[in-house]
Amino acid sequence: MKKKIAFYTLGCKLNFSETSTIARGFQDDGYERVDFSDKADMYVINTCSVTENADKRFKTIVKQAQKVNPEAFVAAIGCYAQLKPEELAAVDGVDLVLGASEKFKIADYVNDLSKNEEGQVHSCEIEEADFYVGSYAIGDRTRAFLKVQDGCDYKCTYCTIPLARGISRSDTLENVLKNAAEISAKGIKEIVLTGVNIGDYGKGEFGNKKHEHTFLELVQALDRVVGIHRLRISSIEPNLLKNETIDFVAQSNSFVPHFHIPLQSGSDAILKLMKRRYMSALYTDRVNRIKQTMPDACIGVDVIVGFPGETEEHFLETYHFLNELDISYLHVFTYSERDNTLAADMVDVVPKNVRSKRSKMLRGLSVKKRRAFYESQLGTRRTVLFEGENKEGYIYGFTENYVKVKAPWNPALVNTLHQIELKEIDIDGSVRFKFVDVSVEI
């Protein structure tokens, strides 16, 4: 009988790509991967520490696993496991906690899957996390998350990621291209590039600070890989998104006109307190450059509300800055204190009810921005890639510039690309369309 293993991933696309790679390793060793809700001999939880909720969810997920199989071996890996290993090891039912370097060698620590009396911790000092492990995740067969970079050398005052993932380091260009070709060979139509700070790509390929290749060179090389229909850049810092990259994407074969660019605050005073590496003027310049070269590009924005010292004036400065900017949607994060960060010791703490109110205002602005962007796209012809899930009788997909569309469920459409004309916005906020391809029947 094959041993059964199940995985649960919290957090970002990068975590999903690493979970996938670790899971493939177990499958190569003879394990059968099952759903987390199924009975397994081993449960692996890949943790996140970016938001408060991710920390709190860990105990609930362990309980879920124990309910299905009280005798199962439970392991915790990921960012939270690196930051607070003893805390996780103390959770009832946890047998093993592995840090940033050890998680990729998890099979070495597992033995016969017998439960431990107390959770064992194997966690290096984060300074030792200086080697690179490439990975990619294949989700619903329509897109894959390809890791190209890990770690971060920035010192943003609110962020624990450098403490959890170590220094900035990158995959070799050769290995990224090999992984991209593997993904393409599986019939997957879209690759999303992911990492902690992907614009810093090239640093530390050889365990040093040398930039052997730039992010632009990575993008140019990936654009030449045969068989990839779409390449999407995930989150990239505004100061690292250069004109040359924007201009290349505008005329590339495979890269789509969609950018996600963290802002965090529209107030220069708050950006300085956060120790971000740009001011709001540079951010405006990046957005304008994208829209000049790709007028229909989708631009997503990360923003944090309630950072220590953020007055009502600072918040309104952010609100008006975003309102006037030609962007498409927001990811709004309510600031939460993190141990061992400079921001956690700052004065002028914003009350939680004020943070919540500001978050609600920006989420409302995001709905307005997305609606306006979708309206601007009505009547245009786009290419849609359909997803693999039947959601209440409908199939959904995304255009190259990230407009979400819907049609009555048709399994023949799964993981296919089609020319469409965007017609009207549906009650759920997605867009109805008509096929331009004459071969399609709906």
Side-chain angles (χ1 to χ4, degrees):
M1 287 283 290
K2 279 187 174 183
K3 296 272 193 203
K4 293 182 178 179
I5 189 166
F7 292 84
Y8 197 109
T9 306
L10 291 158
C12 62
K13 296 180 179 76
L14 182 56
N15 268 9
F16 278 92
S17 75
E18 291 178 343
T19 296
S20 248
T21 296
I22 292 166
R24 285 194 295 274
F26 274 102
Q27 287 168 295
D28 290 345
D29 287 343
Y31 282 75
E32 179 188 348
R33 184 176 181 178
V34 298
D35 192 80
F36 201 82
S37 60
D38 295 338
K39 187 173 182 180
D41 300 291
M42 179 176 178
Y43 294 92
V44 180
I45 305 165
N46 195 351
T47 63
C48 168
S49 189
V50 170
T51 65
E52 203 170 12
N53 289 341
D55 291 1
K56 290 174 179 173
R57 285 180 63 193
F58 178 74
K59 286 182 183 175
T60 307
I61 296 159
V62 173
K63 281 180 184 170
Q64 282 175 21
Q66 285 192 297
K67 199 171 178 181
V68 180
N69 184 7
E71 300 305 311
F73 189 89
V74 178
I77 60 174
C79 291
Y80 193 26
Q82 175 66 38
L83 291 171
K84 297 192 175 178
E86 304 295 342
E87 197 173 293
L88 294 194
V91 172
D92 187 42
V94 173
D95 299 289
L96 179 67
V97 180
L98 298 180
S101 294
E102 293 78 10
K103 65 187 172 189
F104 295 109
K105 299 176 287 215
I106 183 171
D108 297 345
Y109 298 96
V110 169
N111 300 322
D112 62 353
L113 297 187
S114 56
K115 299 222 26 106
N116 295 322
E117 285 187 20
E118 55 184 43
Q120 294 182 355
V121 173
H122 299 276
S123 180
C124 67
E125 292 300 316
I126 197 60
E127 291 78 16
E128 294 169 29
D130 58 358
F131 63 92
Y132 185 87
V133 177
S135 59
Y136 61 85
I138 296 164
D140 55 7
R141 278 183 53 246
T142 57
R143 68 173 56 82
F145 302 126
L146 173 58
K147 174 183 170 184
V148 299
Q149 183 273 342
D150 200 351
C152 188
D153 293 339
Y154 288 9
K155 300 290 188 285
C156 301
T157 54
Y158 54 82
C159 187
T160 58
I161 296 300
L163 301 173
R165 284 190 168 270
I167 59 169
S168 177
R169 55 208 188 274
S170 313
D171 206 346
T172 62
L173 187 59
E174 180 186 26
N175 199 51
V176 171
L177 296 176
K178 179 180 80 70
N179 284 340
E182 278 180 24
I183 292 166
S184 172
K186 294 177 192 291
I188 289 161
K189 304 287 195 297
E190 180 172 310
I191 293 177
V192 183
L193 303 186
T194 186
V196 175
N197 188 359
I198 63 172
D200 207 25
Y201 174 81
K203 188 182 282 186
E205 275 179 27
F206 304 100
N208 55 30
K209 289 296 174 190
K210 184 180 177 186
H211 279 73
E212 188 68 17
H213 291 98
T214 64
F215 182 70
L216 175 62
E217 288 171 333
L218 170 73
V219 166
Q220 290 170 331
L222 281 167
D223 199 50
R224 294 191 291 269
V225 175
V226 175
I228 299 174
H229 295 80
R230 282 185 179 180
L231 285 154
R232 201 178 292 274
I233 297 168
S234 62
S235 187
I236 184 166
E237 293 286 306
N239 52 302
L240 296 174
L241 179 56
K242 307 296 186 186
N243 285 344
E244 296 81 8
T245 303
I246 294 169
D247 295 345
F248 181 79
V249 169
Q251 54 80 49
S252 80
N253 299 316
S254 308
F255 278 89
V256 294
H258 175 208
F259 295 85
H260 194 92
I261 315 168
L263 169 67
Q264 313 308 14
S265 176
S267 163
D268 287 347
I270 299 300
L271 288 173
K272 285 174 185 172
L273 284 174
M274 291 176 165
K275 290 196 175 174
R276 300 293 286 161
R277 297 197 177 194
Y278 54 86
M279 291 292 102
S280 58
L282 181 136
Y283 197 94
T284 303
D285 181 68
R286 299 297 78 206
V287 170
N288 290 344
R289 181 76 177 209
I290 291 167
K291 286 294 185 176
Q292 283 163 11
T293 55
M294 292 165 273
D296 293 314
C298 179
I299 302 175
V301 183
D302 286 342
V303 61
I304 296 171
V305 296
F307 188 80
E310 184 187 66
T311 63
E312 193 67 16
E313 289 73 24
H314 291 138
F315 170 71
L316 290 174
E317 200 178 341
T318 295
Y319 187 94
H320 294 310
F321 178 78
L322 289 166
N323 191 36
E324 291 162 17
L325 210 56
D326 192 1
I327 55 164
S328 314
Y329 64 90
L330 305 172
H331 281 174
V332 183
F333 297 90
T334 304
Y335 171 75
S336 61
E337 286 77 3
R338 291 289 178 255
D339 291 344
N340 302 315
T341 60
L342 291 173
D345 297 321
M346 287 181 178
V347 294
D348 299 327
V349 173
V350 178
K352 292 204 171 174
N353 64 319
V354 176
R355 299 183 207 181
S356 178
K357 185 190 90 171
R358 291 175 184 173
S359 175
K360 191 178 282 188
M361 284 180 69
L362 283 186
R363 288 179 205 279
L365 179 61
S366 180
V367 170
K368 185 181 114 177
K369 285 284 185 181
R370 193 186 295 271
R371 176 94 188 185
F373 175 63
Y374 280 13
E375 285 177 351
S376 76
Q377 296 303 298
L378 297 181
T380 64
R381 290 190 172 187
R382 298 283 166 227
T383 304
V384 62
L385 173 60
F386 286 104
E387 313 255 306
E389 198 177 344
N390 181 344
K391 294 183 179 176
E392 298 180 350
Y394 288 96
I395 188 168
Y396 289 83
F398 285 92
T399 65
E400 64 273 36
N401 61 341
Y402 214 57
V403 174
K404 188 176 185 178
V405 305
K406 72 185 287 190
W409 171 253
N410 179 351
L413 293 176
V414 173
N415 195 33
T416 60
L417 290 155
H418 292 279
Q419 291 287 310
I420 61 168
E421 184 180 325
L422 302 175
K423 300 301 287 182
E424 61 180 344
I425 300 175
D426 198 69
I427 194 165
D428 68 356
S430 60
V431 178
R432 297 279 193 157
F433 61 89
K434 75 171 184 182
F435 283 99
V436 175
D437 323 36
V438 290
S439 60
V440 179
E441 292 181 16
I442 57 166

